[in-house]
Amino acid sequence: MPEEPTGSGRIKTLEKGFRIIEIIEDEESATLTEVADRMDIARSTVHDYLTTLLDLEYLVKTNGNYHLGLKFARLGTNATEIVPLSSFVTPYLERLADETGETVWFLVEEFGLAVYLGHAEGEQGIKTEHFVGGRSHLHCHAGGKAILAQLPETRVNEIIDRHGLPKITENTITSQEALFEELKRIREQNYAQNYSEQLEETRAVSAAIVIEGDVLGAISVGGPAHRLRGERFDEELPSQVMSTVNEIKLNQIYS
């Protein structure tokens, strides 16, 4: 698990530079004025940052609009490759998607948030707001809860203190007491379920990948609530997800 930032020794200029990058990534492309308005700082200051990032080839400028350069593709690939299982799980995700017909994700925890690193889509898979590299809170979906259930209580409390338990839908768990009860249930049955807690009218089933005490991520199968219900939701999908996770663990241990 990566170390948490301490918050000391922060370099404000560097912080502003990355904030500009995040704004441009969020907008897909942005003009100097748009970035300055979002940052609420002088256009001349933003211009200096943008010029520097252009010179370093981290940004590209087209018709007055700035967007991310392809250097980030290399950085992202390198960052992903050092994550355990990031490439190893791909064939398992694809097979599970074929078996279930639904959307399958591999996600990990970093800095108290879920990061989506792998994806496969079955014949009936639905499109959601998730994307590879995207982040979300852990408490509001099956994969995040599966991970939280395997972390020490002190670590879970640290995550709650840092990110809170924001309400995403009417079904989101927002009470610390209720969350810990849910995590206990998840540990007892070895899988987690999501009852439209992150996205209305959807459900998901997930199990964490734990090898030698290290929580390496979770595999999650999600789909529309009208398909993920009854015996399929409570027995069939949990069995398929847990079987996939167990196979990943065995092949990783003995590879």
Side-chain angles (χ1 to χ4, degrees):
M1 180 185 300
E3 293 183 2
E4 293 285 342
T6 63
S8 61
R10 293 166 72 104
I11 302 173
K12 293 297 184 181
T13 53
L14 186 61
E15 189 173 344
K16 287 179 181 177
F18 278 106
R19 175 62 181 143
I20 288 171
I21 290 170
E22 289 174 349
I23 288 171
I24 293 172
E25 189 271 339
D26 183 50
E27 298 290 341
E28 295 187 359
S29 69
T31 64
L32 186 156
T33 299
E34 289 169 339
V35 175
D37 288 344
R38 287 278 300 269
M39 293 285 292
D40 195 25
I41 58 178
R43 281 168 48 93
S44 58
T45 302
V46 173
H47 178 268
D48 291 343
Y49 278 98
L50 292 173
T51 299
T52 301
L53 290 167
L54 274 173
D55 289 344
L56 293 172
E57 300 178 357
Y58 284 105
L59 294 181
V60 175
K61 185 179 181 182
T62 306
N63 298 324
N65 285 276
Y66 296 86
H67 57 87
L68 301 185
L70 293 178
K71 262 192 175 183
F72 285 104
R74 174 175 59 83
L75 295 175
T77 298
N78 289 341
T80 301
E81 287 179 349
I82 67 172
V83 177
L85 303 182
S86 60
S87 58
F88 181 83
V89 299
T90 300
Y92 298 95
L93 303 182
E94 294 173 346
R95 189 182 67 191
L96 188 57
D98 288 340
E99 291 175 353
T100 63
E102 306 292 354
T103 301
V104 180
W105 284 97
F106 169 62
L107 58 149
V108 301
E109 178 265 325
E110 184 180 65
F111 297 128
L113 294 173
V115 183
Y116 298 89
L117 291 186
H119 171 251
E121 198 166 302
E123 290 185 358
Q124 302 179 86
I126 60 172
K127 302 291 185 182
T128 67
E129 61 187 13
H130 304 316
F131 56 92
V132 173
R135 296 186 173 204
S136 71
H137 288 84
L138 290 163
H139 72 289
C140 58
H141 53 89
K145 291 191 296 183
I147 290 173
L148 286 173
Q150 301 301 324
L151 296 177
E153 184 174 325
T154 53
R155 175 62 180 149
V156 177
N157 283 323
E158 288 172 358
I159 291 172
I160 294 172
D161 289 343
R162 181 174 181 182
H163 298 289
L165 298 172
K167 183 178 181 179
I168 312 300
T169 73
E170 290 299 320
N171 294 329
T172 307
I173 296 173
T174 57
S175 158
Q176 187 165 337
E177 181 180 358
L179 178 62
F180 276 105
E181 289 178 0
E182 173 78 346
L183 299 183
K184 179 181 178 182
R185 183 180 67 82
I186 292 168
R187 283 191 294 272
E188 290 172 349
Q189 64 185 21
N190 294 318
Y191 65 90
Q193 291 170 298
N194 166 18
Y195 296 86
S196 301
E197 297 161 50
Q198 185 182 42
L199 185 64
E200 298 286 357
E201 303 301 324
T202 65
R203 290 183 170 187
V205 176
S206 180
I209 304 171
V210 183
I211 298 178
E212 296 181 350
D214 292 327
V215 185
L216 302 183
I219 302 293
S220 183
V221 176
H226 72 269
R227 283 206 305 263
L228 275 62
R229 58 191 178 90
E231 183 178 338
R232 184 176 189 230
F233 185 58
D234 292 325
E235 297 181 24
E236 183 179 334
L237 286 175
S239 177
Q240 290 174 300
V241 172
M242 287 191 293
S243 293
T244 300
V245 166
N246 287 336
E247 189 173 349
I248 290 171
K249 290 163 62 176
L250 287 172
N251 286 334
Q252 184 70 13
I253 291 170
Y254 296 108
S255 63

